Amino acid sequence: MFDPSIFTESPDFNAASLEAAKYIFSRVHPALSEGKQFVLGMATGNSPIKLYEELLTLFRGADLDLSQFYTVNLDEYYPIPQAHEQSYHTYMMQHFWGPLQQISGTFNPQTQALIPNGEAKDSTAECAAYEDKIKALGGIDLQILGIGTNGHIGFNEPGSDPDSRTRVVQLAEQTIQDNSMHFAGDATAVPREAITMGIATIMEAKELVIIASGQSKAPIIRALKDAKEPQKDIPATYLMDHPAVHFFVDAAANAA
Ligand code: GLP
């Protein structure tokens, strides 16, 4: 079971995003201001957009040296050109890395931001190299996660193994339908595969923050609260075995 106290409810999307951002910054700020490294795991999708905006506001007000700040993304479509307008690389440049670099020249996405390469010729080698890069950084301090309506985390679709690592996966039909909104409603334009951190990779992060909002997420949040133990068909239930996990939900997502 998930401990009910790990769910923080806010009235709406904006408020939940602000709560999550403040929480994350309360972890990032002390480390960076003491000159320590911080590795922040990033998610994409609609859920963290406002959270990133709020996080950037907090960075703007803090005047931190970001030379020890690293970001590591969960996943990327495969194959997809990096410059494609719907690549997660483009998303990150727009919503986080670009603005952060504007705030402080001490953050350089070229050297401080990792994301799987959707253009890699050898996808198996890319996945192994990605795991190695995360290890070389000493692991992820805090991983931000959204959640799919089918309970996926990253692109770990139902059926994903708890021991899974960064790998190429097929997207579930539900995910293709959900994500078609970003491809002008055309499901055929959504890539069929992705590179994603595995469940085991995610579980190794020291801390996890999940953000969920809106009524479309209410059934999956209910399912998580009802789950007694981890279930392969709802990958997010694996998170109940993590020692430091926090859900930031709005009232609509928490309503079922
Ligand atoms: C996408 C991403 C996930 C994301 C999830 C929810 O397919 N691969 O990392 O968390 O689905 O997306 P959204 O936040 O848009 O609902």
Side-chain angles (χ1 to χ4, degrees):
M1 273 209 3
F2 281 103
D3 176 350
S5 70
I6 65 171
F7 289 85
T8 301
E9 185 190 303
S10 299
D12 55 28
F13 175 64
N14 286 351
S17 300
L18 179 60
E19 281 304 308
K22 285 197 294 196
Y23 184 82
I24 293 162
F25 202 65
S26 77
R27 294 292 191 260
V28 176
H29 184 272
L32 296 183
S33 56
E34 287 168 26
K36 292 188 191 139
Q37 175 186 282
F38 197 93
V39 181
L40 183 60
M42 314 297 285
T44 47
N46 294 323
S47 305
I49 286 182
K50 185 73 185 167
L51 184 168
Y52 291 155
E53 215 179 287
E54 298 290 0
L55 206 50
L56 289 164
T57 302
L58 292 167
F59 273 110
R60 202 170 287 116
D63 191 28
L64 286 167
D65 176 354
L66 304 182
S67 53
Q68 294 302 309
F69 182 58
Y70 292 86
T71 69
V72 178
N73 268 75
L74 273 175
D75 50 13
E76 176 62 286
Y77 290 115
Y78 187 81
I80 197 163
Q82 212 169 64
H84 189 288
E85 63 170 1
Q86 290 308 328
S87 77
Y88 287 166
H89 188 281
T90 297
Y91 172 108
M92 288 304 298
M93 224 41 210
Q94 280 171 355
H95 294 289
F96 197 73
W97 300 332
L100 189 60
Q101 194 173 20
Q102 292 283 313
I103 290 167
S104 170
T106 57
F107 179 74
N108 179 0
Q110 302 268 20
T111 51
Q112 288 163 252
L114 298 180
I115 188 163
N117 180 6
E119 298 182 12
K121 292 220 166 48
D122 182 344
S123 55
T124 311
E126 171 64 17
C127 293
Y130 203 65
E131 285 280 332
D132 289 345
K133 286 180 197 166
I134 296 171
K135 270 201 199 86
L137 282 175
I140 297 165
D141 290 301
L142 186 155
Q143 177 66 53
I144 300 167
L145 295 164
I147 184 166
T149 56
N150 64 358
H152 75 207
I153 44 173
F155 272 128
N156 291 282
E157 299 287 19
S160 292
D161 201 272
D163 299 328
S164 54
R165 295 246 156 226
T166 304
R167 67 202 186 288
V168 178
V169 292
Q170 306 275 331
L171 301 194
E173 197 45 47
Q174 178 71 51
T175 303
I176 291 169
Q177 292 303 329
D178 287 350
N179 289 8
S180 65
M181 70 158 91
H182 302 296
F183 293 81
D186 179 8
T188 65
V190 181
R192 266 34 198 172
E193 294 185 333
I195 294 176
T196 183
M197 279 186 203
I199 299 290
T201 324
I202 293 169
M203 291 293 279
E204 281 170 9
K206 292 190 191 86
E207 204 170 355
L208 304 175
V209 164
I210 297 109
I211 178 140
S213 68
Q215 59 178 17
S216 69
K217 298 294 168 73
I220 187 62
I221 295 298
R222 179 77 262 156
L224 294 185
K225 289 182 166 176
D226 289 345
K228 300 271 179 290
E229 52 194 41
Q231 294 168 219
K232 223 175 179 173
D233 58 331
I234 310 179
T237 58
Y238 290 128
L239 306 179
M240 68 176 70
D241 285 341
H242 193 283
V245 45
H246 315 271
F247 282 84
F248 290 88
V249 295
D250 71 359
N254 210 24

